[in-house]
């Protein structure tokens, strides 16, 4: 055996093969948590710019009506979360940037109880993602510019009693690491 072959064999033995992330139709193969929905959002582009359809009840992508909307931003490298809602679902539509939504299912009756799920949202392929109530979730900007996203929660925000419960992003209660990212 030559030195080159030996080095090749040793490095390949230590390597880990990538896992499949898309199927033959380029659809994401990542397992979603029970109740999480993803919907591709149409963006129409011409020489003047673009129009992005953010919500249309005809899509039937979520059973609850549109009752409230707000915009939020996340700076590059920052994580917002962990948070959980007891009364409402979040429904995100990303307009700018790249964001991962990490979800942790703590619903004991759920078939995906105890699992982590990751959905990436990007302006190159806009889509909605819904996060069910009682699912911990954190939003991380994984790009180089500010994320701009719209949330269409299933209930209006209650300023007197916010339906938001928080854990620190480095909590040992959730089996996920953001590898030194900043945020809360």
């Amino acid at each position: 055996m030559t030195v080159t072959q030996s080095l090749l064999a040793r490095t390949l033995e230590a390597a880990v093969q990538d896992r499949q992330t898309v199927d033959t139709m380029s659809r994401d193969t990542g397992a979603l948590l029970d109740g999480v929905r993803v919907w591709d959002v149409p963006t129409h582009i011409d020489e003047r710019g673009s129009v992005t359809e953010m919500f249309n009840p005809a899509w039937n992508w979520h059973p609850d009506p549109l009752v409230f909307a707000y915009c939020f931003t996340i700076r590059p490298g920052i994580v917002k979360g962990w948070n959980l809602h007891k009364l409402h679902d979040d429904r995100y539509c990303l307009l700018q940037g790249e964001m991962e939504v990490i979800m942790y299912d703590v619903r004991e009756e759920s078939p995906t109880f105890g699992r982590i799920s990751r959905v990436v949202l990007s302006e190159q392929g806009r889509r909605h993602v819904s996060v069910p109530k009682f699912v911990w979730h954190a939003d991380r900007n994984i790009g180089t510019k500010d994320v701009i996203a719209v949330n269409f929660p299933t209930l209006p925000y209650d300023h007197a009693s916010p339906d938001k419960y928080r854990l620190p992003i480095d909590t040992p209660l959730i089996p996920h690491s953001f590898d030194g990212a900043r945020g809360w």
Side-chain angles (χ1 to χ4, degrees), residues 54 68-76 78-81 83 85 88-102 119 121 127-131 137-142 145-153 157 164 166 184:
M54 292 195 307
F68 187 72
Y70 65 88
C71 180
F72 66 93
T73 64
I74 306 173
R75 300 203 190 287
I78 299 296
V79 178
K80 286 189 175 182
N83 63 81
H85 310 294
H88 76 270
D89 294 3
D90 279 337
R91 301 179 290 192
Y92 296 155
C93 180
L94 183 121
L95 297 178
Q96 174 184 291
E98 297 172 332
M99 174 175 81
E100 67 176 358
V101 182
I102 305 295
V119 174
L121 302 175
R127 55 190 183 161
H128 286 294
V129 63
S130 64
V131 181
H137 54 289
D139 309 323
R140 179 182 187 181
N141 184 331
I142 57 173
K145 59 184 173 184
D146 283 6
V147 158
I148 300 174
V150 175
N151 188 8
F152 304 100
Y157 185 77
K164 184 169 272 195
R166 295 184 187 273
W184 57 274

Side-chain angles (χ1 to χ4, degrees), residues 20-139:
Q20 182 180 8
T21 58
V22 295
D23 66 14
T24 57
M25 300 299 290
S26 296
R27 293 177 298 227
D28 191 346
T29 59
L32 295 177
L33 301 180
D34 186 51
V36 173
R37 293 176 182 85
V38 177
W39 179 268
D40 291 338
V41 177
T43 298
H44 310 283
I45 300 170
D46 65 25
E47 65 278 1
R48 301 165 298 155
S50 66
V51 171
T52 299
E53 297 179 37
M54 292 195 307
F55 185 83
N56 184 337
W59 295 339
N60 293 319
W61 79 277
H62 197 281
D64 292 343
L66 180 63
V67 295
F68 187 72
Y70 65 88
C71 180
F72 66 93
T73 64
I74 306 173
R75 300 203 190 287
I78 299 296
V79 178
K80 286 189 175 182
W82 292 100
N83 63 81
L84 175 144
H85 310 294
K86 292 181 179 181
L87 303 175
H88 76 270
D89 294 3
D90 279 337
R91 301 179 290 192
Y92 296 155
C93 180
L94 183 121
L95 297 178
Q96 174 184 291
E98 297 172 332
M99 174 175 81
E100 67 176 358
V101 182
I102 305 295
M103 296 166 277
Y104 181 50
D105 193 350
V106 294
R107 302 167 296 168
E108 292 182 6
E109 74 288 348
S110 170
T112 55
F113 172 73
R115 291 193 197 158
I116 294 279
S117 184
R118 175 180 184 253
V119 174
V120 174
L121 302 175
S122 166
E123 64 190 78
Q124 286 78 32
R126 291 189 176 104
R127 55 190 183 161
H128 286 294
V129 63
S130 64
V131 181
K133 57 183 150 253
F134 293 105
V135 169
W136 287 101
H137 54 289
D139 309 323

